[in-house]
């Protein structure tokens, strides 16, 4: 088994495939995606690799709904990370659509990183995904054991062995098995080093300095949704969707004091959920507004006036028309 620890000094090489490292001067560019069950740490890892927040994260499963691309720039390579929703057994139409997005992504990328949290035993969710992965023969697969800061050396070693065995059992050849911690920034750069040789040779696909190609309106909506998800429980997280209707610079402002007006709607599925989202005397919604506005201002680099409304889109997760309207 080829496991990458901080002391590994082997050259970055892709498990004997045709992707071996080329001489200096060659440039590589391509797409990699992280897969794994909900909450495995895919979005956090994407952000750590890119060095800036491009994907929202939360401790609620199924946070990620959009395919966010983070772009890692290196002198010798450009690595475009596609962050997909967690694959899971679908229960709703939204669930089915999300799984379709995942599979389509897998077929298009140059490498797949399978994320398995170090602090949880391999379970049916991991197996479900690994079995699907086994069916995708051509794409190199890297097993990434995430959240290594949460476990001791013994538990980590056991997890690495379990991942290796899972691969053998299902006929998957891991190009690498890499333990990382995105929050403690352990081995994150090494992971990028190992992914780069798996990319095809070619020129950069995005201008230098671009960190994502997600439209600003979508990123803004995601930041609002992230703030709204904090502290909500049970079914509600899945019921929340945010759509930014309009982003316009306020007229009649002096050039040195611009203000961006953002109008956004936060959708829930049932009237009964309104109270939870808005909170007593509107306090929760106000907090969501303040928190997300700060993040949006940091993202866009301009002062923002955020006009946020809560609306009911009845059972939108099961309604094709509503799903389309909400961007799915
Ligand atoms: N301690 C620790 N926590 C982590 C690490 N990476 C992610 N987390 C936490 O794990 C939770 C889930 O992380 P995400 O990055 O949102 O997970 P995800 O796989 O993108 O989740 P979905 O969007 O639901 O598919 C968050 O609370 C993160 O802060 C890590 O390296 N160490």
């Amino acid at each position: 088994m080829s496991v990458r620890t901080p002391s590994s000094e082997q050259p970055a090489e892709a498990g004997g495939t045709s992707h071996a490292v080329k001489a200096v001067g060659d440039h590589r560019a391509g797409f990699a995606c992280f897969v794994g069950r909900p909450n495995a740490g895919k979005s956090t890892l994407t952000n750590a690799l890119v060095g800036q927040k491009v994907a929202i994260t939360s401790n609620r499963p199924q946070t990620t709904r959009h395919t966010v691309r983070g772009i890692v720039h290196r002198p010798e390579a450009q690595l475009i990370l596609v962050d997909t929703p967690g694959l899971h057994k679908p229960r709703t139409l939204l669930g089915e659509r999300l799984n379709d997005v995942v599979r389509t992504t897998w077929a298009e990328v140059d490498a797949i990183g399978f994320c398995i949290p170090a602090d949880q035993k391999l379970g049916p969710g991991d197996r479900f995904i690994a079995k699907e992965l086994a069916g995708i023969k051509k794409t190199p697969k890297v097993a990434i054991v995430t959240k290594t800061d949460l476990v001791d050396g013994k538990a980590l070693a056991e997890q690495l062995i379990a991942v290796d065995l899972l691969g053998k059992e299902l006929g998957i050849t891991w190009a690498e098995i890499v333990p990382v911690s995105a929050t403690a920034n352990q081995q994150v750069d090494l992971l990028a080093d190992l992914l780069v040789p798996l990319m095809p040779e070619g020129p950069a696909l995005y201008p230098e300095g671009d960190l994502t190609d997600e439209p600003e309106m979508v990123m803004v909506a995601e930041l609002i949704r992230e703030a709204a998800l904090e502290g909500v429980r049970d079914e509600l997280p899945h019921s929340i969707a945010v759509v930014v209707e309009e982003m316009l610079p306020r007229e009649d402002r002096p050039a040195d004091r611009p203000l961006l007006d953002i109008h956004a709607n936060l959708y829930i599925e049932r009237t009964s959920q309104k109270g939870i989202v808005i909170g007593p005397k509107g306090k929760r919604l106000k907090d969501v507004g303040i928190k997300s506005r700060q993040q949006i201002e940091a993202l866009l680099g301009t002062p923002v006036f955020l006009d946020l409304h809560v609306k009911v889109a009845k059972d939108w997760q099961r309604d094709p028309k509503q799903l389309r309207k909400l961007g799915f």
Side-chain angles (χ1 to χ4, degrees):
M1 134 168 96
S2 149
V3 176
R4 300 298 181 156
T5 61
S7 55
S8 292
E9 281 177 14
Q10 296 144 288
E13 200 172 274
T17 66
S18 57
H19 298 280
V21 183
K22 290 279 160 67
V24 182
D26 287 342
H27 191 278
R28 288 177 182 274
F31 295 82
C33 79
F34 295 142
V35 304
R37 66 173 132 114
N39 240 2
K42 303 175 292 294
S43 303
T44 310
L45 189 56
T46 300
N47 291 339
L49 280 159
V50 175
Q52 193 190 305
K53 186 158 164 175
V54 288
I56 75 160
T57 63
S58 87
N59 54 8
R60 312 263 151 231
Q62 279 183 49
T63 300
T64 308
R65 283 184 190 146
H66 293 277
T67 304
V68 177
R69 292 180 178 83
I71 306 166
V72 183
H73 299 268
R74 293 275 179 102
E76 77 290 3
Q78 199 170 69
L79 191 62
I80 298 133
L81 303 168
V82 192
D83 185 31
T84 60
L87 191 78
H88 58 284
K89 295 230 163 79
R91 280 184 304 161
T92 60
L93 184 59
L94 172 66
E96 277 172 40
R97 294 253 169 108
L98 292 179
N99 281 357
D100 288 347
V101 172
V102 179
R103 292 202 189 89
T104 313
T105 308
W106 293 6
E108 288 169 356
V109 293
D110 302 298
I112 300 173
F114 177 35
C115 295
I116 313 111
D119 63 328
Q120 280 168 34
K121 286 241 171 320
L122 284 181
D126 301 303
R127 267 173 189 280
F128 175 69
I129 296 168
K131 272 191 199 145
E132 294 269 341
L133 277 181
I136 301 171
K137 299 283 179 215
K138 274 202 204 133
T139 319
K141 296 160 206 82
V142 174
I144 305 167
V145 174
T146 58
K147 310 190 190 182
T148 54
D149 58 295
L150 295 179
V151 296
D152 60 16
K154 183 166 170 282
L156 177 58
E158 281 168 10
Q159 189 71 322
L160 293 168
I161 291 166
V163 170
D164 185 46
L165 288 176
L166 179 70
K168 291 204 169 92
E169 182 195 320
L170 297 176
I172 304 170
T173 310
W174 302 121
E176 304 282 353
I177 301 179
V178 201
V180 300
S181 167
T183 53
N185 197 15
Q186 284 162 3
Q187 303 231 110
V188 174
D189 279 344
L190 175 72
L191 176 63
D193 290 344
L194 296 172
L195 288 172
V196 163
L198 303 178
M199 299 298 113
E201 284 179 48
L205 299 169
Y206 288 88
E208 204 174 312
D210 277 15
L211 299 181
T212 176
D213 73 350
E214 191 77 85
E216 273 179 358
M217 273 169 119
V218 175
M219 301 241 335
V220 166
E222 288 287 89
L223 286 173
I224 298 169
R225 194 163 66 88
E226 180 181 48
L229 282 176
E230 224 163 81
V232 294
R233 269 173 307 175
D234 305 329
E235 281 303 302
L236 191 55
H238 308 293
S239 296
I240 294 177
V242 176
V243 176
V244 172
E245 300 290 341
E246 205 173 55
M247 286 182 17
L248 282 176
R250 172 102 39 113
E251 285 175 15
D252 306 330
R253 293 283 294 190
D256 58 339
R257 286 184 54 230
L259 187 67
L260 186 67
D261 279 310
I262 298 181
H263 299 278
N265 289 327
L266 194 160
Y267 289 95
I268 44 177
E269 291 195 290
R270 288 185 290 280
T271 316
S272 59
Q273 296 169 330
K274 237 179 171 169
I276 310 171
V277 173
I278 294 173
K281 294 196 178 138
K283 186 168 181 317
R284 248 206 111 243
L285 187 65
K286 198 170 163 209
D287 287 346
V288 168
I290 292 172
K291 189 142 189 236
S292 53
R293 182 172 49 78
Q294 287 164 349
Q295 298 260 0
I296 297 165
E297 288 181 340
L299 173 79
L300 303 177
T302 176
V304 160
F305 178 83
L306 178 60
D307 178 36
L308 185 58
H309 293 269
V310 176
K311 295 201 167 169
V312 180
K314 206 164 173 309
D315 291 329
W316 65 263
Q317 290 193 65
R318 291 182 169 75
D319 179 349
K321 237 164 76 199
Q322 302 261 32
L323 280 175
R324 244 192 328 274
K325 193 174 132 207
L326 296 173
F328 295 102

